[in-house]
Amino acid sequence: MDRWLKPKRKATEDIIDGPSCSKQSDLSQKKTKCRKYDVEYLSMGFKCSGSEHEQQPQCVLCYEILSNEAMKPSKLRRHLETKHKEHATKSTEFFKNKEQELRQSRKIIKKTAIGSFKENALKASYEVSMLIAKAGKPHTIAEELTVPAAKAMVSAMVEEKAAKDLDLVPLSNNTVKRRIDKMSDNIKEQLIERICKSQYYSLQVDESTDIANKSHLLCYVRYKFERNIIEDLLFCRYLIHTTAEEVFSTFNEFLTSNGIQWSKCIGISTDGARAMSGRLTGLVARIREINSSVVWHHCCIHRESLATKKMPEELKKVLNESVKIVNFIKARSLNSRLFEQLCQSMDSDHRQLLLHTEVRWLSRGRVLFRLFELRDEIRVFFTELESPFALDERLHDYTWLAMLAYVADIFTHLNVLNLSMQGVGITIFNVEDKIEAMIKKLDLWARCLSQRNFDSFRNMKTFLESADDELEKEVLDFFIQHLQDFVSTFHFQMKAKIGLKILSI
């Protein structure tokens, strides 16, 4: 049996090692064979793509990449004639230009895909969005003005290629809005985290109206962070009713929703409005029901504003008449335009008057100061006006102009005091020092006026030097008495129960 089986096994081995093995090796060699790219293929619209070991043709028109087996002139020609029939008769130069465009687009895609370049574009987008938010400009200003201006400057100063890279910075209207919202949310999260970590915090509350006559509740917070006392705007909320109940509900909703504990609040500063400082139903009373240790303070700037409102009838009459004169010119569009042309022809330092707003505490000083500076222009305006104005004779009254100069000077000094009590880091000690200094100044000014020394009153000094008449003694005594009354009013309003702009911890 073995004698018959051995040749068969040998034959089988010969069969395995023979022709079939050679066929398999030929097939493997066939599979591993790769076609090479020829530069003439560009005339048919194909460039070389892929690796060196396995080159692949890529169409420069549709950017489609074919397999290595398709790298035959017939197949490439068929692709061009079937999918790009309109370009089949184009010259080789046309396809070279298309290849150059493909390379440029690849570079841009590569730059965008690179992390550092993408991060720089994203950072630039956030930087520009932050500048837009700080300036209070509309979101569309980025793509309408900022980007074209930046490209124009870069192309003029650097090169055109660098200017084209600015197109990769996302600055559309919606993108800028998202950037600003994200930065705002991040700032809010950091602020709330700091307040929660702080041992104590204090609040300042004020209700004001905007240009659309809508009421808004503003809240500032002062807290301790890294051994420093930090002051920030906590929130701004729109109010329909300015009652104590709605103000408290707005407060309580914001603090509880953000995890800020009422027990850490040690003080609150408000104005003297009944909705804020009422003993039974006011905001402070409702807060004390939750935290009885909260200390309330009357805002020192509001006290200063109350002190300035108490004026003698004569000065108050001058103020009211001044406001009427300003409104007659400024609040009427035709009179405002005519007055602007008059000021321009007379080479005045200013072109327009300022409107008086009662809620703006710096308004009176600036309005009166501007009115006194443009008194000659207003006098000429009323002289040339066809319709008479009842108060035009006030500008020819020596006593009335002297009182206007005095009121403008005194309110300018009060504005300086008002601004000095605002700002970061102002505490009760700074406020006391500034008020003490103001009271001493008022005493000094009263003594200077009794000696006819007007150095501290610039407008009045300039007016008296330019006029031929001297100021009557009765009017001068009236000014001195007003300063003395002002000192007593300051003592009563500011020293009796002095408050903080924002409570110190």
Side-chain angles (χ1 to χ4, degrees), residues 64-81:
E64 183 180 357
I65 300 176
L66 305 180
S67 63
N68 181 264
E69 295 179 358
M71 197 177 291
K72 294 180 180 180
S74 58
K75 293 183 178 180
L76 299 181
R77 173 63 65 180
R78 183 175 60 186
H79 175 89
L80 177 64
E81 292 177 350

Side-chain angles (χ1 to χ4, degrees), residues 118-134 169-171 175-184 186:
K118 189 175 181 180
E119 290 178 1
N120 292 337
L122 185 63
K123 182 180 178 181
S125 177
Y126 273 98
E127 292 286 348
V128 175
S129 300
M130 184 173 63
L131 294 175
I132 294 174
K134 287 183 178 181
V169 181
L171 286 174
T175 302
V176 172
K177 181 183 180 301
R178 289 197 304 269
R179 300 281 187 265
I180 295 175
D181 291 340
K182 286 182 180 180
M183 288 186 289
S184 177
N186 182 260

Side-chain angles (χ1 to χ4, degrees), residues 50-67:
S51 62
E52 295 181 358
H53 303 287
E54 187 178 358
Q55 297 179 348
Q56 294 175 315
Q58 182 180 11
C59 179
V60 297
L61 299 175
C62 63
Y63 302 161
E64 183 180 357
I65 300 176
L66 305 180
S67 63

Side-chain angles (χ1 to χ4, degrees), residues 81-281:
E81 292 177 350
T82 54
K83 292 190 176 183
H84 311 288
K85 188 176 181 180
E86 65 278 8
H87 301 299
T89 58
K90 297 291 184 181
S91 62
T92 307
E93 192 67 26
F94 171 79
F95 293 111
K96 286 183 179 180
N97 295 335
K98 289 295 182 181
E99 182 188 12
Q100 188 67 22
E101 292 179 5
L102 177 59
R103 289 180 180 178
Q104 292 294 333
S105 61
R106 274 185 172 182
K107 288 181 180 179
I108 294 176
I109 294 172
K110 187 176 180 181
K111 283 183 178 180
T112 308
I114 295 175
S116 60
F117 191 85
K118 189 175 181 180
E119 290 178 1
N120 292 337
L122 185 63
K123 182 180 178 181
S125 177
Y126 273 98
E127 292 286 348
V128 175
S129 300
M130 184 173 63
L131 294 175
I132 294 174
K134 287 183 178 181
K137 300 298 181 181
H139 301 160
T140 56
I141 195 174
E143 56 183 348
E144 292 178 357
L145 179 62
T146 306
V147 174
K151 292 175 68 175
M153 289 186 289
V154 171
S155 61
M157 300 296 294
V158 186
E159 58 181 359
E160 188 69 27
K161 181 181 178 181
K164 291 182 179 180
D165 292 340
L166 295 178
D167 293 331
L168 301 177
V169 181
L171 286 174
S172 64
N173 180 23
N174 296 333
T175 302
V176 172
K177 181 183 180 301
R178 289 197 304 269
R179 300 281 187 265
I180 295 175
D181 291 340
K182 286 182 180 180
M183 288 186 289
S184 177
D185 294 338
N186 182 260
I187 292 173
K188 179 182 176 182
E189 292 174 1
Q190 293 184 38
L191 176 61
I192 293 174
E193 183 180 359
R194 289 181 178 184
I195 296 173
C196 293
K197 290 182 179 180
S198 179
Q199 187 177 3
Y200 300 108
Y201 67 89
S202 58
L203 303 171
Q204 180 194 2
V205 190
D206 187 25
E207 181 268 326
S208 184
T209 55
D210 58 7
I211 192 172
N213 203 25
K214 291 185 178 180
S215 181
H216 295 272
L217 180 66
L218 301 173
C219 178
Y220 291 84
V221 62
R222 177 170 283 185
Y223 57 95
K224 185 178 180 181
F225 178 72
E226 295 181 353
R227 297 184 179 182
N228 295 320
I229 303 301
I230 310 297
E231 175 186 330
D232 282 311
L233 174 65
L234 184 59
F235 66 84
C236 176
R237 290 289 184 271
Y238 168 67
L239 295 177
I240 300 178
H241 304 287
T242 58
T243 59
E245 181 180 0
E246 184 168 353
V247 172
F248 175 75
S249 62
T250 305
F251 248 107
N252 191 43
E253 180 183 357
F254 181 86
L255 296 182
T256 54
S257 62
N258 292 284
I260 302 176
Q261 300 178 9
W262 275 110
S263 58
K264 293 184 178 181
C265 180
I266 62 172
I268 183 170
S269 175
T270 66
D271 56 15
R274 193 171 184 178
M276 295 291 183
S277 59
R279 293 188 301 169
L280 301 178
T281 60

Side-chain angles (χ1 to χ4, degrees), residues 3-13:
R3 184 168 60 89
W4 298 104
L5 290 175
K6 283 181 180 177
K8 196 177 259 188
R9 188 180 297 115
K10 186 176 181 182
T12 307
E13 290 176 358

